[in-house]
Amino acid sequence: MQRRADNRAWFAVAPVVVVVAFTAIVPLMTVVNYSVQDIFDVDTRLFIGFDFYRETLRDPRFAQALLRQLAFSALVLAIEIPLGIWIARALVRNQGKSATGFLILLSVPLLVPWNVVGTIWQIYARPDIGLLGAAVTALGIPYNYASNVLSAWVTLLAMDVWHWTSLVALLSFAGLSAISPAYYQAATLDGANAWQTFRHVELPHLKAVLTIAVLLRLMDSLMIYTEPFVLTGGGPGNSTTFLSQYLTTMAVGQFDLGPAAAFSVLYFLMILLLCWLFYTSVMRGGDDG
Amino acid sequence: MGWMAWTGPTAAFFAAIAVGLAIMTASELRWPTTVRKGFLPIPTTRGDRFFVALLTSAWVHIGWLAATEAPVIIASGLSILLGVLILLKA
């Protein structure tokens, strides 16, 4: 006789469902409600259907901010993931010597609040008094993140890499530490070189942690707000105005709640789609690793 | 609930999603899902296909609104057709 599944454990999940409902689902539903109405005040609203969606999708500033956002996320991932893995591999090779100290040092940027990170780099990269800015300027390289687009982007990327590579490194370190030495011995016996060992032994074992690392960094970089707001204020011009800054300008600066809500829904769906595509493409080969 | 600024169409939209979820739950209890491979490049459960159908529907509407001034009801019809196709054949 087939045994009936006991689903009582789902009751244990109920508190989380309630918390998520109150902190995420109900607010999201409210945003959807706002997005189809022109809000004049708390009691005066006009239903206008999808007009704000159409307006946002055809807004060139939205398209520009979206392109900047995608470029920023792609660059951040392209730097932080390989760099994090490289640092983790170096730490694993030196385990027992200086690895513990480096792990503690690596954790420090993760403990710094976003606005403080922005302030640190705002001062650090100033071409007149900042250590980095003054050093780069002394080398004869034209550098000013407040007036030069390239400088602003390089500084933002450096700041994000400084802040978040540690997360990738720590996750990768945990993944690499869990690999049995037998795999390395087998690889050595087979005559595998360093790249082959990485590609066929380490990388498959890192799949789960790297999926989490990429997902976290992808979602977080797509939502970046505080650091560029403090460092560059979205400038020079609009060159570092990402989606969240543009959204905040609409919602808080101009108090255009309807358009901002439509923007938010589009923003949410974009992040949801990108994360789902990434997750399913990575997990398609099975859940080994 | 006044602060949530409900409208008839959005209430109907969320009610439809809630009914969909209830049906999915009831189906799961009555006929537990099996992973299968359809026209999507990934093996999916019934819940996966429901999620993909909803996401596809959202993006069909977004594409429609971005590309044309034609009535959105056409995009909704297209979404329903695609949703049924995904649920049955994906």
Side-chain angles (χ1 to χ4, degrees):
Chain A
M1 198 178 87
Q2 200 175 10
R3 199 165 155 235
R4 222 179 138 74
D6 185 352
N7 286 317
R8 278 178 300 179
W10 285 107
F11 286 112
V13 186
V16 177
V17 173
V18 172
V19 170
V20 171
F22 274 93
T23 58
I25 298 170
V26 170
L28 185 63
M29 287 163 83
T30 310
V31 169
V32 173
N33 290 342
Y34 271 48
S35 70
V36 293
Q37 298 178 84
D38 204 353
I39 313 278
F40 299 105
D41 62 51
V42 178
D43 299 315
T44 319
R45 304 185 292 264
L46 178 69
F47 181 78
I48 56 154
F50 290 108
D51 286 5
F52 286 145
Y53 287 92
R54 197 171 267 130
E55 200 178 278
T56 305
L57 287 164
R58 294 170 189 192
D59 178 2
R61 288 171 301 173
F62 172 76
Q64 289 158 7
L66 175 62
L67 283 177
R68 279 193 288 270
Q69 186 74 71
L70 294 176
F72 179 76
S73 292
L75 285 168
V76 155
L77 288 177
I79 298 169
E80 289 176 13
I81 301 299
L83 186 59
I85 296 171
W86 181 75
I87 292 170
R89 291 186 79 223
L91 285 173
V92 169
R93 278 199 296 272
N94 291 300
Q95 220 162 7
K97 296 174 193 167
S98 49
T100 312
F102 273 112
L103 281 173
I104 294 167
L105 272 180
L106 271 177
S107 311
V108 172
L110 297 174
L111 304 174
V112 184
W114 289 266
N115 52 347
V116 178
V117 170
T119 310
I120 290 172
W121 278 80
Q122 193 191 35
I123 297 165
Y124 182 53
R126 273 183 65 152
D128 50 356
I129 57 164
L131 180 62
L132 175 72
V136 172
T137 309
L139 290 172
I141 300 167
Y143 173 82
N144 189 335
Y145 67 81
S147 62
N148 181 282
V149 175
L150 182 64
S151 302
W153 268 80
V154 169
T155 313
L156 266 183
L157 287 170
M159 178 176 62
D160 202 85
V161 167
W162 176 82
H163 197 185
W164 290 113
T165 301
S166 311
L167 177 73
V168 182
L170 291 173
L171 285 170
S172 302
F173 179 80
L176 288 170
S177 301
I179 301 175
S180 164
Y183 285 100
Y184 290 104
Q185 288 159 7
T188 310
L189 285 174
D190 288 342
N193 60 28
W195 167 251
Q196 287 166 329
T197 306
F198 171 69
R199 173 67 188 84
H200 298 290
V201 175
E202 293 176 333
L203 207 51
H205 283 89
L206 284 176
K207 185 176 170 181
V209 286
L210 282 182
T211 302
I212 296 295
V214 174
L215 268 179
L216 286 173
R217 289 309 304 129
L218 177 63
M219 287 187 283
D220 200 55
S221 64
L222 286 170
M223 295 187 293
I224 190 164
Y225 172 73
T226 312
E227 297 100 314
F229 176 74
V230 175
L231 182 72
T232 62
N238 281 327
S239 63
T240 56
T241 300
F242 299 113
L243 286 174
S244 54
Q245 278 174 284
Y246 185 38
L247 174 60
T248 309
T249 308
M250 284 170 80
V252 182
Q254 301 161 5
F255 218 64
D256 284 336
L257 294 182
F263 189 124
S264 303
V265 174
L266 293 171
Y267 196 2
F268 166 71
L269 287 171
M270 187 193 78
I271 294 177
L272 186 65
L273 178 69
L274 283 176
C275 292
W276 181 79
L277 284 176
F278 168 75
Y279 186 78
T280 47
S281 62
V282 169
M283 289 302 175
R284 190 167 59 179
D287 32 35
D288 51 327
Chain B
M1 298 293 275
W3 66 273
M4 285 185 76
W6 283 103
T7 68
T10 50
F13 167 71
F14 284 117
I17 291 183
V19 168
L21 288 173
I23 291 171
M24 294 296 292
T25 307
S27 309
E28 183 61 32
L29 291 172
R30 182 69 184 84
W31 304 286
T33 187
T34 49
V35 178
R36 74 167 196 223
K37 180 86 173 60
F39 68 81
L40 284 175
I42 47 167
T44 54
T45 62
R46 196 187 291 131
D48 293 333
R49 291 190 289 278
F50 184 62
F51 175 74
V52 173
L54 287 179
L55 201 57
T56 306
S57 166
W59 280 95
V60 164
H61 280 86
I62 290 172
W64 191 269
L65 289 167
T68 174
E69 293 288 339
V72 180
I73 192 81
I74 302 171
S76 304
L78 193 61
S79 299
I80 290 170
L81 285 177
L82 275 172
V84 171
L85 186 69
I86 290 167
L87 284 171
L88 295 179
K89 299 286 180 190

